């Protein structure tokens, strides 16, 4: 690995802040190492899909373009990842749609509690015209400074804590970590708890020291982040089904040739499908490992949480009523 890095540094242009002074044409034949990052570790479906895409990219360009993955929050949490992509310090960032909502308001429709009936519904939407449209909205948004490449699966988010959460009364007084977006804090408050916005990178310590009492996520994250060692009850609230998104730095994108842009766009669409297979396998494996690791899965009547979060859907969804309706009508 060390040898390979040295080789790359010696004869490749590593796209990064200020690294690209020359116009695109001058670089057309030069090697470029595109930096990618993800909060998850190597082997996690989102990371693996991008790593595999890098191998295909390298093969299809005879080694001219490649991807160097910085996994496991090496470059910070998602907020930091977005900022680095915006300035071109890295190229690919795989992030949750959660923290993208404050940047591109339309994306918040995916962040509404109980927006999707189930994961199959969410997949239909991201695979269809709405998915294409929202990636386009992100790319066209001048404040975002990002290109939307594809979506990925992140399953369903449910609450985990040191005790079962069957209804709002069980959440009373519980500090529950949420992703950085006011919608989520308000959602948790509406569900009966105290939502606390916090970066993913701080969460393990916060759970261990009791700064928060619990959090919410999908089974693979609960497992791989080792949160289940602290919080042994996974209550199936299913309040959020939020896809992931793979974005590219607009500053770096504009320096690529059209042919390279098209290739990366195509391989990203392939990655969306590739990740899905990896994801389904990972969920099944994670649930089994969590159960074996002593986690109790608690059945929940979701209706009470659905009703409790109606004001959040109205507050954040009404300005995108037509889009919300189209999502609901997607069968
Ligand atoms: C995971 C997502 C990751 C988020 C994390 C979170 O894959 O992108 O950073 O949740 O809760 O499911 O912050």
């Amino acid at each position: 690995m060390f040898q390979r890095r040295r080789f790359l540094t010696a004869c490749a242009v590593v796209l990064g802040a200020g690294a690209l002074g020359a116009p695109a044409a001058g670089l057309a034949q030069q090697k470029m190492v595109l930096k990618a990052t993800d909060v998850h570790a190597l082997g996690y479906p989102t990371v693996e899909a991008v790593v595999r895409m890098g191998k295909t990219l390298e093969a299809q360009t005879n080694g001219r373009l490649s991807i160097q993955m910085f996994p496991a929050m090496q470059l910070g949490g998602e907020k930091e990842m977005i900022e680095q992509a915006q300035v071109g310090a890295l190229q690919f960032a795989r992030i949750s749609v959660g923290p993208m909502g404050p940047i591109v308001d339309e994306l918040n429709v995916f962040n509404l509690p109980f927006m999707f009936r189930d994961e199959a519904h969410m997949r239909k939407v991201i695979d269809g015209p709405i998915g294409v449209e929202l990636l386009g909205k992100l790319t066209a948004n001048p404040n975002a400074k990002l290109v939307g490449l594809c979506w990925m699966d992140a399953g369903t988010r449910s609450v985990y804590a040191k005790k079962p959460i069957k209804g709002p009364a069980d959440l009373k007084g519980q500090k529950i970590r949420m992703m950085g977006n006011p919608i989520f804090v308000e959602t948790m408050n509406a569900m009966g708890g105290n939502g606390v916005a916090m970066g993913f990178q701080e969460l393990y310590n916060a759970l261990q020291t009791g700064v928060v009492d619990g959090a919410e996520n999908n089974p693979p994250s609960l497992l791989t982040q080792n949160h289940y060692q602290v919080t042994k009850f996974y209550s199936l609230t299913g309040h959020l089904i939020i896809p992931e998104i793979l974005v590219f730095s607009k500053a770096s994108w504009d320096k690529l040739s059209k042919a390279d842009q098209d290739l990366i766009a195509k391989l990203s669409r392939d990655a969306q499908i590739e990740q899905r297979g990896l994801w389904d396998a990972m969920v099944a494996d994670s649930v089994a490992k969590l159960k074996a690791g002593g986690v109790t899965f608690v059945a929940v009547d979701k209706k009470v949480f659905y009703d409790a979060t109606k004001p959040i859907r109205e507050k954040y969804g009404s300005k995108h009523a037509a889009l919300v309706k189209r999502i609901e009508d997607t069968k």
Side-chain angles (χ1 to χ4, degrees), residues 39-40 78 94 96 157 177 179 200 217-218 221 244:
V39 293
H40 294 293
E78 301 211 318
R94 199 293 308 156
S96 169
R157 298 175 77 100
R177 178 270 175 178
M179 284 191 282
F200 202 43
N217 219 315
N218 50 46
S221 295
E244 318 272 33

Side-chain angles (χ1 to χ4, degrees), residues 32 72 81 130 165 170 172-173 219 245 261 275 300 313 321:
M32 276 189 222
M81 288 163 47
I130 296 174
I165 304 294
D170 297 323
K172 195 165 188 307
I245 188 166
Q261 290 176 347
Q275 190 263 356
V300 173
R313 282 187 297 283

Side-chain angles (χ1 to χ4, degrees), residues 222-223 226-234 284-297:
L222 174 58
L223 177 76
N226 291 318
H227 298 163
Y228 76 100
Q229 291 170 355
V230 189
T231 49
K232 292 285 183 200
F233 292 91
Y234 190 59
D285 186 56
S286 303
V287 168
K289 286 191 174 130
L290 287 168
K291 287 183 177 165
V295 173
T296 304
F297 283 59

